[in-house]
Amino acid sequence: MSELLSRRRMLGGALAAGASLPIVHGLLPQGSGGPQRAGAMSGHAGHDGFVHAGFAPGRSVDHRANGFNPTALLRDFDYGKTRRLASGRVLREWEIVAQDREIEVAPGVKYEAWTYNGRVPGPTLRAREGERLRLRFLNASEHPHTIHFHGIHTALMDGMPGIGENRGAGQIEPGAEFTYEFDAEPFGVHLYHCHVSPLASHISRGLYGAFIIDPKKGRPEADEMVMVMNGFDTNFDLANEIYAVNTVGFHYINEPIQVARDELLRLYVVNVLEFDPINSFHVHANFFQHYPTGTSLQPSEFTDTIIQGQGQRAILEMKFPFDGDYMFHAHVSEFAELGWSGFFRVGDPARHGSAAAAAMYCELPWGGAGSKA
Ligand SMILES: [Cu+2]
């Protein structure tokens, strides 16, 4: 059996344990006639018995139990607490706690996550270029962790095991704490994550988050959102079974992201996916300006698809000129089908032909039409 099929079967089994079998033909946004359409398509040739990875109809993830909702998380920026130093500079402070916590990453699929502040991804830390940043890190997990920030700082503040251990830095043991302090530079969209080995495990368990440094003069007014592209290896075989943006597979299919027509949308997109070398972001029926790493105020490309390796990130800016439901997803079809898909809902979709995007998944190169996974 190929790796892909075994991953598929595993996912199907996990979902089946707590839910009716998911079908990709349910891959239509809620509130636009999706579920009804799904039923109408169930007789589509060749799909009987094939376990697609769409959301389980009638079931949804318990966001309250998770402690976070991916819809709220999109626009949830953590600015910390600020005060002025004697020098006149702004000091910005946060407290971050590592905690082990079970979360639901797709309907019925539980995962023993390691988290920063109880959520995956961790808080989106946001500061302004040139500020002094201070982060008190407390390790309440049963495992040693660190916070390694992308940015410019001293070795002692790098969150690297083995560096500065005699000064309390390096690996932070359970029950211990350390305060990271450095300047906010350069401006852009960055990330932070644990750097304890085995690295792939510590990261894929959920210890990461976006770290945004705004340029001194800011950016134009926009509806801003954070999208952390991630995945979950639910059976610990070093391959992902669930792919997502902001953790919950298919969440933005279930709850399309409401945006206004003709309003500037700014996405901070960060790829922290483990085990797969690349990830991608594609939007339907539109193009965006691409600012790689967000470190320039000039876009480098006008496109509708970007590729990111692990740790790469970007700012994307676009406007939707027409009302309707517009899909966004990894242009790695396997990821899209295993959770990394969503919709932007612009204006009133009922008046403008709501989505029928699921058809694109009917003829997959592996395990598609006619396959019995
Ligand atoms: Cu760790």
Side-chain angles (χ1 to χ4, degrees):
M1 178 183 289
S2 77
E3 185 197 357
L4 289 173
L5 287 174
S6 72
R7 288 161 68 174
R8 237 156 229 287
R9 173 169 285 181
M10 188 278 143
L11 173 64
L15 287 168
S20 54
L21 288 184
I23 50 169
V24 77
H25 299 113
L27 204 63
L28 297 166
Q30 293 294 293
S32 64
Q36 293 75 19
R37 304 270 300 260
M41 281 198 240
S42 61
H44 201 73
H47 289 68
D48 290 348
F50 178 60
V51 179
H52 284 297
F55 61 88
R59 278 183 60 98
S60 58
V61 165
D62 186 343
H63 303 305
R64 185 171 297 181
N66 272 358
F68 61 91
N69 182 325
T71 295
L73 205 144
L74 280 173
R75 297 176 174 97
D76 182 11
F77 300 99
D78 187 341
Y79 292 91
K81 287 186 181 146
T82 60
R83 63 189 165 91
R84 286 237 176 241
L85 297 169
S87 62
R89 240 177 128 189
V90 170
L91 172 70
R92 195 176 292 276
E93 297 179 276
W94 293 269
E95 196 166 281
I96 296 180
V97 181
Q99 300 163 263
D100 305 337
R101 177 173 190 148
E102 185 185 76
I103 58 173
E104 190 178 3
V105 296
V109 183
K110 301 288 178 64
Y111 182 76
E112 291 293 334
W114 298 347
T115 74
Y116 288 128
N117 288 2
R119 43 173 273 181
V120 180
T124 298
L125 306 178
R126 190 154 185 182
R128 190 169 292 269
E129 181 186 14
E131 292 174 339
R132 188 69 173 169
L133 310 183
R134 184 179 291 163
L135 301 103
R136 182 176 175 219
F137 173 54
L138 302 98
N139 187 0
S141 162
E142 290 181 4
H143 311 271
H145 301 299
T146 72
I147 308 180
H148 163 71
F149 286 88
H150 287 224
I152 302 171
H153 48 247
T154 62
L156 188 66
M157 296 299 161
D158 198 39
M160 269 298 294
I163 296 179
E165 298 280 357
N166 60 351
R167 296 172 64 184
Q171 183 163 301
I172 311 304
E173 298 299 327
E177 67 169 86
F178 182 73
T179 298
Y180 298 95
E181 188 168 327
F182 48 85
D183 295 339
E185 62 175 330
F187 74 77
V189 52
H190 310 310
L191 64 153
Y192 63 91
H193 57 86
C194 178
H195 217 295
V196 170
S197 136
L199 200 49
S201 311
H202 281 252
I203 293 177
S204 66
R205 284 280 193 153
L207 290 168
Y208 46 74
F211 172 38
I212 297 169
I213 300 178
D214 291 316
K216 278 196 173 119
K217 291 183 177 172
R219 296 179 190 273
E221 188 72 23
D223 182 9
E224 299 193 317
M225 301 176 196
V226 173
M227 294 191 176
V228 176
M229 304 193 290
N230 56 0
F232 295 91
D233 171 16
T234 57
N235 60 356
F236 303 103
D237 65 349
L238 307 183
N240 295 302
E241 280 70 48
I242 301 273
Y243 293 85
V245 158
N246 296 336
T247 301
V248 177
F250 299 102
H251 176 77
Y252 304 114
I253 296 281
N254 269 319
E255 296 180 34
I257 301 171
Q258 285 283 349
V259 299
R261 193 179 63 192
D262 293 326
E263 186 179 1
L264 182 64
L265 190 62
R266 181 174 298 121
L267 307 180
Y268 295 90
V269 178
V270 179
N271 179 33
V272 295
L273 187 66
E274 278 291 347
F275 310 121
D276 292 280
I278 63 156
N279 207 331
S280 73
F281 178 100
H282 167 59
V283 68
H284 283 207
N286 210 342
F287 271 60
F288 50 76
Q289 298 288 359
H290 178 211
Y291 301 77
T293 322
T295 45
S296 170
L297 298 176
Q298 299 304 318
S300 69
E301 188 184 16
F302 188 51
T303 182
D304 63 5
T305 306
I306 57 162
I307 300 290
Q308 290 186 343
Q310 195 193 33
Q312 281 194 298
R313 61 275 186 191
I315 293 175
L316 312 181
E317 289 182 346
M318 71 191 96
K319 290 180 183 177
F320 284 95
F322 308 111
D323 284 357
D325 284 344
Y326 299 99
M327 200 170 202
F328 66 99
H329 60 90
H331 221 298
V332 184
S333 305
E334 184 204 8
F335 298 179
E337 239 212 342
L338 292 173
W340 184 165
S341 301
F343 281 93
F344 289 108
R345 173 158 291 171
V346 186
D348 180 2
R351 298 174 51 231
H352 296 272
S354 57
M360 68 181 286
Y361 296 106
C362 286
E363 302 297 337
L364 291 168
W366 70 88
S371 168
K372 307 287 186 194

